[in-house]
Short mmCIF file of all heavy atoms in Angstrom, two decimals:
data_model
loop_
_atom_site.label_atom_id
_atom_site.label_comp_id
_atom_site.label_asym_id
_atom_site.label_seq_id
_atom_site.Cartn_x
_atom_site.Cartn_y
_atom_site.Cartn_z
N ASP A 854 1.72 -8.81 9.20
CA ASP A 854 1.53 -7.38 8.98
C ASP A 854 1.83 -6.96 7.54
O ASP A 854 2.19 -5.83 7.26
CB ASP A 854 2.38 -6.55 9.96
CG ASP A 854 1.99 -5.08 9.97
OD1 ASP A 854 0.78 -4.78 9.82
OD2 ASP A 854 2.89 -4.23 10.10
N VAL A 855 1.67 -7.89 6.60
CA VAL A 855 1.87 -7.60 5.18
C VAL A 855 0.51 -7.76 4.49
O VAL A 855 -0.19 -8.75 4.71
CB VAL A 855 2.92 -8.54 4.54
CG1 VAL A 855 3.05 -8.28 3.05
CG2 VAL A 855 4.26 -8.39 5.24
N TYR A 856 0.17 -6.77 3.66
CA TYR A 856 -1.14 -6.73 3.01
C TYR A 856 -0.97 -6.47 1.51
O TYR A 856 -0.04 -5.78 1.10
CB TYR A 856 -1.99 -5.60 3.61
CG TYR A 856 -2.35 -5.85 5.05
CD1 TYR A 856 -1.42 -5.62 6.06
CD2 TYR A 856 -3.60 -6.31 5.39
CE1 TYR A 856 -1.74 -5.85 7.39
CE2 TYR A 856 -3.94 -6.54 6.73
CZ TYR A 856 -3.00 -6.31 7.71
OH TYR A 856 -3.33 -6.55 9.01
N LEU A 857 -1.85 -7.05 0.73
CA LEU A 857 -1.90 -6.80 -0.70
C LEU A 857 -3.20 -6.07 -1.01
O LEU A 857 -4.25 -6.39 -0.45
CB LEU A 857 -1.91 -8.11 -1.51
CG LEU A 857 -0.57 -8.74 -1.85
CD1 LEU A 857 0.09 -9.29 -0.62
CD2 LEU A 857 -0.76 -9.82 -2.89
N GLU A 858 -3.11 -5.10 -1.90
CA GLU A 858 -4.26 -4.31 -2.30
C GLU A 858 -4.23 -4.14 -3.81
O GLU A 858 -3.20 -3.73 -4.36
CB GLU A 858 -4.20 -2.95 -1.60
CG GLU A 858 -5.31 -2.01 -1.92
CD GLU A 858 -6.59 -2.30 -1.15
OE1 GLU A 858 -6.52 -2.94 -0.09
OE2 GLU A 858 -7.66 -1.86 -1.61
N LEU A 859 -5.33 -4.49 -4.48
CA LEU A 859 -5.43 -4.26 -5.92
C LEU A 859 -5.60 -2.77 -6.15
O LEU A 859 -6.53 -2.17 -5.61
CB LEU A 859 -6.62 -5.01 -6.51
CG LEU A 859 -6.50 -6.52 -6.54
CD1 LEU A 859 -7.81 -7.14 -7.02
CD2 LEU A 859 -5.37 -6.95 -7.44
N PHE A 860 -4.73 -2.18 -6.95
CA PHE A 860 -4.79 -0.74 -7.15
C PHE A 860 -5.36 -0.35 -8.51
O PHE A 860 -6.00 0.66 -8.62
CB PHE A 860 -3.40 -0.14 -6.99
CG PHE A 860 -3.20 0.55 -5.67
CD1 PHE A 860 -3.83 0.09 -4.53
CD2 PHE A 860 -2.39 1.65 -5.57
CE1 PHE A 860 -3.66 0.73 -3.32
CE2 PHE A 860 -2.20 2.29 -4.36
CZ PHE A 860 -2.84 1.83 -3.23
N TYR A 861 -5.07 -1.14 -9.54
CA TYR A 861 -5.43 -0.67 -10.88
C TYR A 861 -5.47 -1.86 -11.82
O TYR A 861 -4.62 -2.75 -11.75
CB TYR A 861 -4.37 0.35 -11.32
CG TYR A 861 -4.60 0.98 -12.66
CD1 TYR A 861 -5.60 1.92 -12.83
CD2 TYR A 861 -3.81 0.65 -13.75
CE1 TYR A 861 -5.81 2.52 -14.06
CE2 TYR A 861 -4.00 1.24 -14.98
CZ TYR A 861 -5.01 2.18 -15.14
OH TYR A 861 -5.21 2.76 -16.36
N ARG A 862 -6.46 -1.88 -12.71
CA ARG A 862 -6.57 -2.92 -13.74
C ARG A 862 -6.54 -2.26 -15.10
O ARG A 862 -7.20 -1.25 -15.32
CB ARG A 862 -7.89 -3.69 -13.62
CG ARG A 862 -7.99 -4.58 -12.43
CD ARG A 862 -9.38 -5.22 -12.41
NE ARG A 862 -9.58 -5.95 -11.18
CZ ARG A 862 -9.78 -7.26 -11.13
NH1 ARG A 862 -9.86 -7.96 -12.23
NH2 ARG A 862 -9.93 -7.86 -9.98
N SER A 863 -5.79 -2.88 -16.02
CA SER A 863 -5.72 -2.35 -17.38
C SER A 863 -5.24 -3.43 -18.33
O SER A 863 -4.14 -3.96 -18.16
CB SER A 863 -4.75 -1.16 -17.41
OG SER A 863 -4.54 -0.74 -18.73
N GLU A 864 -6.07 -3.77 -19.30
CA GLU A 864 -5.71 -4.67 -20.40
C GLU A 864 -4.90 -5.89 -19.96
O GLU A 864 -3.75 -6.09 -20.37
CB GLU A 864 -4.94 -3.89 -21.47
CG GLU A 864 -5.73 -2.73 -22.04
CD GLU A 864 -4.90 -1.88 -22.98
OE1 GLU A 864 -3.91 -2.38 -23.53
OE2 GLU A 864 -5.26 -0.71 -23.16
N GLY A 865 -5.47 -6.71 -19.10
CA GLY A 865 -4.82 -7.95 -18.70
C GLY A 865 -3.73 -7.82 -17.66
O GLY A 865 -3.05 -8.79 -17.35
N ARG A 866 -3.55 -6.62 -17.13
CA ARG A 866 -2.53 -6.39 -16.11
C ARG A 866 -3.19 -5.71 -14.92
O ARG A 866 -4.14 -4.95 -15.07
CB ARG A 866 -1.39 -5.53 -16.63
CG ARG A 866 -0.67 -6.18 -17.80
CD ARG A 866 0.56 -5.42 -18.22
NE ARG A 866 1.68 -5.52 -17.32
CZ ARG A 866 2.45 -6.59 -17.14
NH1 ARG A 866 2.17 -7.70 -17.77
NH2 ARG A 866 3.48 -6.57 -16.32
N VAL A 867 -2.63 -5.97 -13.76
CA VAL A 867 -3.09 -5.28 -12.55
C VAL A 867 -1.88 -4.72 -11.83
O VAL A 867 -0.77 -5.24 -11.94
CB VAL A 867 -3.88 -6.21 -11.61
CG1 VAL A 867 -5.18 -6.65 -12.23
CG2 VAL A 867 -3.06 -7.42 -11.18
N LEU A 868 -2.11 -3.65 -11.12
CA LEU A 868 -1.09 -3.06 -10.28
C LEU A 868 -1.46 -3.42 -8.85
O LEU A 868 -2.57 -3.13 -8.39
CB LEU A 868 -1.07 -1.54 -10.47
CG LEU A 868 0.08 -0.78 -9.84
CD1 LEU A 868 1.41 -1.24 -10.43
CD2 LEU A 868 -0.10 0.71 -10.08
N ILE A 869 -0.54 -4.08 -8.17
CA ILE A 869 -0.78 -4.54 -6.80
C ILE A 869 0.16 -3.81 -5.86
O ILE A 869 1.36 -3.69 -6.12
CB ILE A 869 -0.59 -6.07 -6.69
CG1 ILE A 869 -1.61 -6.78 -7.59
CG2 ILE A 869 -0.73 -6.53 -5.23
CD1 ILE A 869 -1.48 -8.29 -7.62
N TYR A 870 -0.42 -3.32 -4.78
CA TYR A 870 0.33 -2.61 -3.75
C TYR A 870 0.51 -3.57 -2.58
O TYR A 870 -0.43 -4.18 -2.10
CB TYR A 870 -0.47 -1.37 -3.32
CG TYR A 870 0.11 -0.58 -2.17
CD1 TYR A 870 1.43 -0.16 -2.18
CD2 TYR A 870 -0.69 -0.23 -1.10
CE1 TYR A 870 1.93 0.59 -1.13
CE2 TYR A 870 -0.19 0.52 -0.05
CZ TYR A 870 1.13 0.93 -0.07
OH TYR A 870 1.62 1.67 0.96
N VAL A 871 1.76 -3.72 -2.15
CA VAL A 871 2.10 -4.57 -1.00
C VAL A 871 2.67 -3.65 0.07
O VAL A 871 3.55 -2.83 -0.22
CB VAL A 871 3.16 -5.64 -1.38
CG1 VAL A 871 3.46 -6.53 -0.19
CG2 VAL A 871 2.71 -6.45 -2.56
N TYR A 872 2.17 -3.80 1.29
CA TYR A 872 2.61 -2.89 2.35
C TYR A 872 2.49 -3.54 3.72
O TYR A 872 1.78 -4.52 3.91
CB TYR A 872 1.78 -1.60 2.32
CG TYR A 872 0.31 -1.81 2.63
CD1 TYR A 872 -0.19 -1.55 3.90
CD2 TYR A 872 -0.56 -2.28 1.66
CE1 TYR A 872 -1.53 -1.76 4.19
CE2 TYR A 872 -1.91 -2.48 1.94
CZ TYR A 872 -2.38 -2.22 3.20
OH TYR A 872 -3.70 -2.43 3.49
N ARG A 873 3.25 -2.99 4.65
CA ARG A 873 3.11 -3.34 6.06
C ARG A 873 2.22 -2.27 6.68
O ARG A 873 2.57 -1.09 6.68
CB ARG A 873 4.46 -3.36 6.76
CG ARG A 873 5.33 -4.52 6.36
CD ARG A 873 6.54 -4.64 7.28
NE ARG A 873 7.38 -5.73 6.83
CZ ARG A 873 7.20 -7.00 7.14
NH1 ARG A 873 6.19 -7.35 7.91
NH2 ARG A 873 8.01 -7.93 6.68
N LYS A 874 1.08 -2.68 7.17
CA LYS A 874 0.09 -1.73 7.66
C LYS A 874 0.64 -0.85 8.77
O LYS A 874 0.44 0.37 8.78
CB LYS A 874 -1.16 -2.47 8.14
CG LYS A 874 -2.33 -1.58 8.43
CD LYS A 874 -3.56 -2.40 8.73
CE LYS A 874 -4.80 -1.56 8.73
NZ LYS A 874 -6.01 -2.36 8.92
N SER A 875 1.36 -1.43 9.71
CA SER A 875 1.89 -0.64 10.83
C SER A 875 2.86 0.43 10.34
O SER A 875 2.83 1.57 10.82
CB SER A 875 2.57 -1.54 11.86
OG SER A 875 3.67 -2.22 11.28
N ARG A 876 3.69 0.10 9.39
CA ARG A 876 4.66 1.08 8.87
C ARG A 876 3.98 2.15 8.02
O ARG A 876 4.35 3.32 8.07
CB ARG A 876 5.76 0.38 8.07
CG ARG A 876 6.67 -0.42 8.96
CD ARG A 876 7.84 -0.96 8.20
NE ARG A 876 8.59 -1.86 9.05
CZ ARG A 876 9.57 -2.62 8.63
NH1 ARG A 876 9.93 -2.60 7.36
NH2 ARG A 876 10.21 -3.41 9.47
N LEU A 877 2.98 1.73 7.24
CA LEU A 877 2.25 2.70 6.43
C LEU A 877 1.55 3.71 7.33
O LEU A 877 1.63 4.92 7.10
CB LEU A 877 1.24 2.00 5.52
CG LEU A 877 0.37 2.95 4.68
CD1 LEU A 877 1.22 3.79 3.75
CD2 LEU A 877 -0.67 2.16 3.91
N LEU A 878 0.87 3.22 8.36
CA LEU A 878 0.20 4.12 9.29
C LEU A 878 1.20 5.07 9.95
O LEU A 878 0.96 6.27 10.07
CB LEU A 878 -0.57 3.32 10.34
CG LEU A 878 -1.81 2.60 9.82
CD1 LEU A 878 -2.33 1.61 10.86
CD2 LEU A 878 -2.89 3.59 9.42
N ARG A 879 2.34 4.52 10.35
CA ARG A 879 3.39 5.36 10.96
C ARG A 879 3.80 6.47 9.99
O ARG A 879 3.90 7.65 10.36
CB ARG A 879 4.60 4.50 11.33
CG ARG A 879 5.76 5.28 11.94
CD ARG A 879 7.07 4.54 11.85
NE ARG A 879 7.44 4.42 10.43
CZ ARG A 879 8.34 3.58 9.98
NH1 ARG A 879 8.96 2.76 10.79
NH2 ARG A 879 8.63 3.53 8.69
N ASP A 880 4.04 6.11 8.73
CA ASP A 880 4.48 7.09 7.73
C ASP A 880 3.42 8.15 7.46
O ASP A 880 3.72 9.34 7.38
CB ASP A 880 4.86 6.39 6.42
CG ASP A 880 6.12 5.56 6.53
OD1 ASP A 880 6.87 5.70 7.52
OD2 ASP A 880 6.36 4.74 5.61
N LEU A 881 2.17 7.71 7.29
CA LEU A 881 1.10 8.65 6.95
C LEU A 881 0.72 9.55 8.11
O LEU A 881 0.22 10.66 7.89
CB LEU A 881 -0.14 7.88 6.46
CG LEU A 881 0.03 7.02 5.21
CD1 LEU A 881 -1.31 6.41 4.81
CD2 LEU A 881 0.65 7.79 4.06
N LEU A 882 0.94 9.09 9.33
CA LEU A 882 0.54 9.86 10.51
C LEU A 882 1.63 10.79 11.02
O LEU A 882 1.42 11.52 11.99
CB LEU A 882 0.08 8.92 11.63
CG LEU A 882 -1.24 8.22 11.34
CD1 LEU A 882 -1.54 7.17 12.40
CD2 LEU A 882 -2.38 9.22 11.23
N ARG A 883 2.79 10.79 10.37
CA ARG A 883 3.80 11.78 10.75
C ARG A 883 3.22 13.16 10.46
O ARG A 883 2.61 13.38 9.41
CB ARG A 883 5.08 11.56 9.96
CG ARG A 883 5.84 10.35 10.42
CD ARG A 883 7.21 10.27 9.79
NE ARG A 883 7.95 9.21 10.41
CZ ARG A 883 8.59 8.24 9.76
NH1 ARG A 883 8.58 8.22 8.44
NH2 ARG A 883 9.23 7.32 10.40
N PRO A 884 3.40 14.11 11.38
CA PRO A 884 2.72 15.41 11.24
C PRO A 884 2.91 16.10 9.88
O PRO A 884 1.94 16.55 9.28
CB PRO A 884 3.31 16.24 12.39
CG PRO A 884 3.66 15.22 13.42
CD PRO A 884 4.13 14.01 12.64
N LYS A 885 4.14 16.19 9.40
CA LYS A 885 4.36 16.89 8.12
C LYS A 885 3.73 16.12 6.95
O LYS A 885 3.14 16.72 6.06
CB LYS A 885 5.85 17.09 7.86
CG LYS A 885 6.48 18.13 8.76
CD LYS A 885 7.96 18.28 8.46
CE LYS A 885 8.61 19.29 9.40
NZ LYS A 885 10.05 19.39 9.16
N ALA A 886 3.86 14.80 6.96
CA ALA A 886 3.26 13.98 5.90
C ALA A 886 1.74 14.08 5.95
O ALA A 886 1.08 14.21 4.92
CB ALA A 886 3.70 12.53 6.04
#
């Protein structure tokens, strides 16, 4: 349940996002969020 996602590329560097999909969905689906 761990995923990597390329977020941004700039001058020889990349920003990589690592997340647990189940936890991300839980966080984003909270009513106030």
Side-chain angles (χ1 to χ4, degrees):
D854 192 36
V855 177
Y856 294 77
L857 274 70
E858 179 80 22
L859 291 174
F860 257 33
Y861 182 73
R862 289 177 187 243
S863 173
E864 301 174 23
R866 299 187 73 72
V867 294
L868 189 61
I869 298 177
Y870 175 52
V871 181
Y872 64 99
R873 289 191 182 276
K874 191 173 192 176
S875 62
R876 290 187 187 171
L877 177 61
L878 289 168
R879 179 200 66 197
D880 291 346
L881 299 184
L882 291 172
R883 287 190 172 129
K885 288 180 182 177

